[in-house]
Amino acid sequence: MIPNPLRTIWLNDQQEVQIINQTLLPHELRVETLHNVEDVYQAIVQMIVRGAPLIGATAAYGLWMACRDASEALLEHEIEKAANYLRSSRPTAVNLFVCIDRMMATISTVKSKSDKTAIALETAHAIVAEDIEICRMIGVHGLPLIEAISQRKAGETVNILTHCNAGMMGCIRWGTITSPIYQAMEKGIKVHVWVDETRPRNQGSNLTAWELGQHNVPHTLIVDNTGGHLMQHDMVDLVLVGTDRTTRQGDVANKIGTYLKALAAKDNQIPFYVALPSTSIDWTISDGLKEIPIEERNQDEVKYFQGLNSSGKIDTVLICPPTTPAANYGFDVTPARLISGLITERGICDATEKGLTELFGMF
Ligand code: MRU
């Protein structure tokens, strides 16, 4: 049964992990069951679940299954093997590694298989509950930004541009960039979202547009190259994007194309903010361009386009000569200097080491 209110991952009455198959949205809302570590790995690799916080949470439940399904004789070895396997699923979003490390640290505090299984489930549930609260708080801290623009415009519509999907479908509930938008809507502030389609996987047209529609948020779908034009013509008040990994100096990796939006925003003096759950901060690295691993995916994602055909079936079509080689970089890095601020669960800070450490006190 689909939970109400909707969320992206949950356990059913049989204690099975349930997720929404995001490769079928917006055409079909299909719930899938993840039975074991292999299902979890495939769900992450194929982007049946995607978005930094959600892949971290899904991997956490995968490690619970690894404990549950491990043999007594090879308990530690099999859990370690599962952790390494899940770590190899996608390279860029740091949440995956943060969640796996946290699960492994907790699991190692107890000895028996039943204790490991129990503590793994408890920790996976905690990761999910924390993400819900983190996103809610990002909304609390992001709301004043939207409010201030609305006041400056004497209550006229605030136009927000976003790229990819950093909404609920990338998290558990609320989402990161959508949380302040939903809270603004609740306060009666007029907002409108420009939704980048986000080629090649179309998280904008498939997921963000669907999600905003579900919440009655006025929005308009645009092709990825439109943002600059809109900014030049005063049609964007704020750019709001998510992140897969943010370094301690504030460089941000996010879906490919984010950097170009940041450049256009800078040229047009438009505020460019990143909604940043602290689980997406990689405190171990500084220089995003040199140190963040950028995922390269199968070229067929660029060469084929998926959609609903005239018979109402989900179909793919080839959009180039069959032999044309394609490159498919999943993410790019926006340097901190192009970012107006980071909206975190603890408040807004500069995209600098000082800004982040003042909020999170890591060093
Ligand atoms: O390849 P994806 O769809 O997993 O990429 C997702 C993004 O780039 C999101 O913007 C990011 O993970 C933030 S989700 C709150």
Side-chain angles (χ1 to χ4, degrees):
M1 229 180 52
I2 294 174
N4 186 11
L6 187 63
R7 52 192 282 174
T8 54
I9 190 163
W10 68 96
L11 259 56
N12 65 11
D13 294 342
Q14 291 76 46
Q15 294 287 99
E16 295 169 321
V17 174
Q18 309 284 283
I19 49 123
I20 294 166
N21 185 333
Q22 299 196 21
T23 65
L24 303 177
L25 283 171
H27 312 298
E28 184 185 339
L29 181 60
R30 187 192 295 171
V31 174
E32 309 267 9
T33 301
L34 303 179
H35 295 99
N36 49 41
V37 174
E38 182 60 27
D39 284 355
V40 169
Y41 175 84
Q42 291 301 338
I44 296 172
V45 167
Q46 292 172 34
M47 295 173 64
I48 293 168
V49 291
R50 33 66 52 200
L54 181 56
I55 64 176
T58 311
Y61 283 111
L63 283 175
W64 163 57
M65 295 182 215
C67 295
R68 185 196 62 194
D69 300 343
S71 66
E72 296 274 4
L74 293 169
L75 187 59
E76 308 276 350
H77 169 74
E78 285 178 16
I79 299 170
E80 188 64 52
K81 198 169 140 196
N84 288 335
Y85 188 45
L86 293 173
R87 279 189 185 102
S88 71
S89 56
R90 293 192 74 188
T92 303
V94 78
N95 306 58
L96 179 73
F97 305 94
V98 167
C99 287
I100 292 175
D101 289 350
R102 175 171 168 187
M103 290 292 293
M104 292 302 280
T106 326
I107 291 166
S108 72
T109 60
V110 290
K111 283 266 164 303
S112 71
K113 173 172 154 152
S114 63
D115 285 351
K116 283 183 187 299
T117 306
I119 207 165
L121 184 58
E122 204 179 286
T123 311
H125 284 335
I127 286 169
V128 159
E130 283 163 25
D131 182 73
I132 294 174
E133 181 57 12
I134 284 172
C135 287
R136 192 185 69 79
M137 287 308 294
I138 287 174
V140 168
H141 294 298
L143 171 63
L145 270 180
I146 299 175
E147 236 168 355
I149 296 169
S150 165
Q151 276 163 15
R152 201 192 64 224
K153 292 183 76 176
E156 265 181 50
T157 302
V158 178
N159 287 298
I160 300 168
L161 184 141
T162 193
H163 191 67
C164 195
N165 172 269
M168 177 183 75
M169 300 315 291
C171 306
I172 311 298
R173 276 204 71 197
W174 312 124
T176 61
I177 71 111
T178 41
S179 183
I181 293 172
Y182 296 153
Q183 292 189 28
M185 289 278 292
E186 268 172 34
K187 282 201 85 175
I189 296 169
K190 283 195 218 154
V191 292
H192 165 263
V193 184
W194 295 109
V195 179
D196 278 358
E197 65 173 345
T198 317
R199 282 277 290 143
R201 289 293 294 247
N202 298 318
Q203 290 92 332
S205 52
N206 290 339
L207 305 174
T208 307
W210 177 77
E211 211 182 306
L212 293 175
Q214 298 285 312
H215 286 85
N216 299 314
V217 179
H219 61 279
T220 307
L221 182 64
I222 49 176
V223 298
D224 291 328
N225 297 324
T226 307
H229 169 78
L230 297 176
M231 292 183 210
Q232 286 172 325
H233 292 274
D234 220 9
M235 293 161 82
V236 179
D237 299 302
L238 173 67
V239 181
L240 212 46
V241 296
T243 175
D244 290 83
R245 192 187 292 236
T246 293
T247 71
R248 65 168 185 270
Q249 76 179 18
D251 294 340
V252 166
N254 191 49
K255 183 52 52 196
I256 191 82
T258 302
Y259 169 55
L260 295 178
K261 296 293 133 63
L263 282 175
K266 186 80 170 177
D267 192 44
N268 291 282
Q269 294 92 46
I270 290 164
F272 181 99
Y273 279 84
V274 177
L276 171 66
S278 56
T279 46
S280 298
I281 304 171
D282 186 344
W283 295 101
T284 68
I285 60 172
S286 190
D287 185 333
L289 276 180
K290 291 197 185 123
E291 295 178 275
I292 298 179
I294 299 297
E295 178 177 22
E296 287 180 54
R297 296 183 59 87
N298 193 299
Q299 59 171 328
D300 283 353
E301 293 184 345
V302 177
K303 295 174 66 171
Y304 291 82
F305 203 94
Q306 178 179 294
L308 208 61
N309 68 19
S310 52
S311 320
K313 294 250 172 343
I314 295 175
D315 214 345
T316 53
V317 288
L318 181 65
I319 58 165
C320 59
T323 53
T324 300
N328 188 7
Y329 296 94
F331 300 90
D332 59 24
V333 172
T334 300
R337 69 187 146 77
L338 298 178
I339 298 168
S340 311
L342 304 170
I343 312 170
T344 80
E345 70 268 27
R346 294 203 184 165
I348 297 185
C349 70
D350 289 342
T352 59
E353 186 158 347
K354 184 166 174 287
L356 279 170
T357 49
E358 269 172 12
L359 280 188
F360 293 96
M362 296 300 282
F363 294 101

